[in-house]
Amino acid sequence: MFNQKFLCQTVLLSALSANAGAAVLNANGQWHPFDVDEAVSASAGLEWIDLDGNALSFDFTLTGSAILRIVDGGFAGDRFDVFNGNLLLGRTSAASNNYPDSLGLDFDAAFADNRYSRGVFLLGPGSYSISGLLSQSALDDSAGAINATVGAISLTAVPLPAAAWLYLAGTGLMGLTARRQSKSGV
């Protein structure tokens, strides 16, 4: 069943990507919200959408490594399939339903709360177009799928490790010493 569902989602995602709105994502660690709502989505689907109901992707190019974080907001219990173009990067973590309690748009609190679904992906250099689909919905009081949520995405550059900085500083000092020795004729 998952393979058939995944195939249908991939076909839907492919069809939507031609009309998708793109938001530029910077590697500054800031949360960028998205919505999911089959009632207002232009396709009546469960893809990430902007405030106008259009399919939404987050586009960026990396020259180094970065960490991509995805988190569910609002009611816990939702999960997302996360894509780069048409390729599945993975699925966010399992979540427990907490309806009618909600953290609203506090994405830092949701990311720290184990009841909320989240995903962390290490990305290397390259160009990305990240989008997603709601693969599991939070449930209401009568155990019916809500099929509407808010979530957020964030990108944080991975700094060079301290050892790399020490190596670069040491290499620079060795080069400076060699240069001084060649000028003094030693």
Coordinates of all heavy atoms in Angstrom, one line a residue, residues 166-182:
L166 N 41.9 25.2 12.7 CA 43.3 25.1 13.2 C 44.3 24.7 12.1 O 45.4 25.2 11.9 CB 43.4 24.1 14.3 CG 42.8 24.6 15.7 CD1 42.7 23.4 16.7 CD2 43.5 25.7 16.2
Y167 N 43.8 23.7 11.2 CA 44.6 23.3 10.1 C 44.9 24.4 9.1 O 46.0 24.6 8.7 CB 43.9 22.1 9.4 CG 44.6 21.7 8.1 CD1 45.7 20.9 8.1 CD2 44.1 22.1 6.9 CE1 46.4 20.6 7.0 CE2 44.8 21.8 5.7 CZ 45.9 21.0 5.8 OH 46.6 20.6 4.6
L168 N 43.9 25.2 8.8 CA 44.1 26.3 7.9 C 45.0 27.4 8.5 O 45.9 27.9 7.8 CB 42.7 26.9 7.6 CG 41.8 26.1 6.7 CD1 40.4 26.8 6.6 CD2 42.4 25.9 5.3
A169 N 44.8 27.6 9.8 CA 45.7 28.6 10.5 C 47.1 28.1 10.5 O 48.1 28.9 10.2 CB 45.2 28.9 11.9
G170 N 47.3 26.8 10.8 CA 48.7 26.2 10.8 C 49.3 26.2 9.4 O 50.5 26.6 9.3
T171 N 48.6 25.9 8.4 CA 49.1 26.0 7.1 C 49.5 27.4 6.7 O 50.5 27.6 6.1 CB 48.0 25.4 6.1 OG1 47.6 24.1 6.5 CG2 48.5 25.4 4.6
G172 N 48.7 28.4 7.1 CA 49.0 29.7 6.8 C 50.3 30.2 7.5 O 51.2 30.9 6.9
L173 N 50.5 29.8 8.7 CA 51.7 30.1 9.5 C 52.9 29.4 8.9 O 54.0 30.0 8.8 CB 51.6 29.7 11.0 CG 50.7 30.6 11.8 CD1 50.5 30.0 13.2 CD2 51.2 32.0 11.9
M174 N 52.8 28.2 8.4 CA 53.9 27.5 7.8 C 54.3 28.2 6.5 O 55.4 28.4 6.2 CB 53.5 26.0 7.5 CG 53.5 25.2 8.8 SD 53.0 23.4 8.6 CE 53.2 23.0 6.9
G175 N 53.3 28.6 5.7 CA 53.5 29.4 4.5 C 54.2 30.7 4.8 O 55.2 31.1 4.0
L176 N 53.8 31.4 5.8 CA 54.4 32.6 6.2 C 55.9 32.4 6.6 O 56.8 33.2 6.2 CB 53.6 33.3 7.3 CG 54.1 34.7 7.8 CD1 54.0 35.7 6.6 CD2 53.2 35.2 8.9
T177 N 56.1 31.4 7.4 CA 57.5 31.1 7.8 C 58.4 30.7 6.6 O 59.5 31.2 6.5 CB 57.5 29.9 8.8 OG1 56.6 30.3 9.9 CG2 58.9 29.6 9.3
A178 N 57.9 29.9 5.7 CA 58.6 29.5 4.5 C 58.9 30.8 3.7 O 60.0 30.9 3.1 CB 57.8 28.5 3.7
R179 N 58.0 31.7 3.6 CA 58.2 32.9 2.8 C 59.3 33.8 3.4 O 60.1 34.3 2.7 CB 56.9 33.6 2.7 CG 56.9 34.7 1.8 CD 55.5 35.3 1.7 NE 55.4 36.4 0.8 CZ 54.4 37.1 0.6 NH1 53.2 36.8 1.1 NH2 54.4 38.2 -0.2
R180 N 59.2 33.9 4.8 CA 60.3 34.7 5.4 C 61.6 34.1 5.3 O 62.6 34.8 5.1 CB 59.9 34.8 6.9 CG 58.9 35.8 7.2 CD 58.7 36.0 8.7 NE 57.8 37.1 8.9 CZ 57.3 37.4 10.1 NH1 57.7 36.7 11.2 NH2 56.4 38.3 10.3
Q181 N 61.7 32.8 5.3 CA 63.0 32.1 5.2 C 63.6 32.2 3.8 O 64.8 32.4 3.6 CB 62.9 30.6 5.6 CG 62.7 30.4 7.0 CD 62.5 28.9 7.4 OE1 62.3 28.0 6.5 NE2 62.5 28.6 8.7
S182 N 62.7 32.2 2.8 CA 63.2 32.3 1.4 C 63.6 33.8 1.2 O 64.6 34.0 0.4 CB 62.1 31.9 0.4 OG 61.1 32.8 0.4

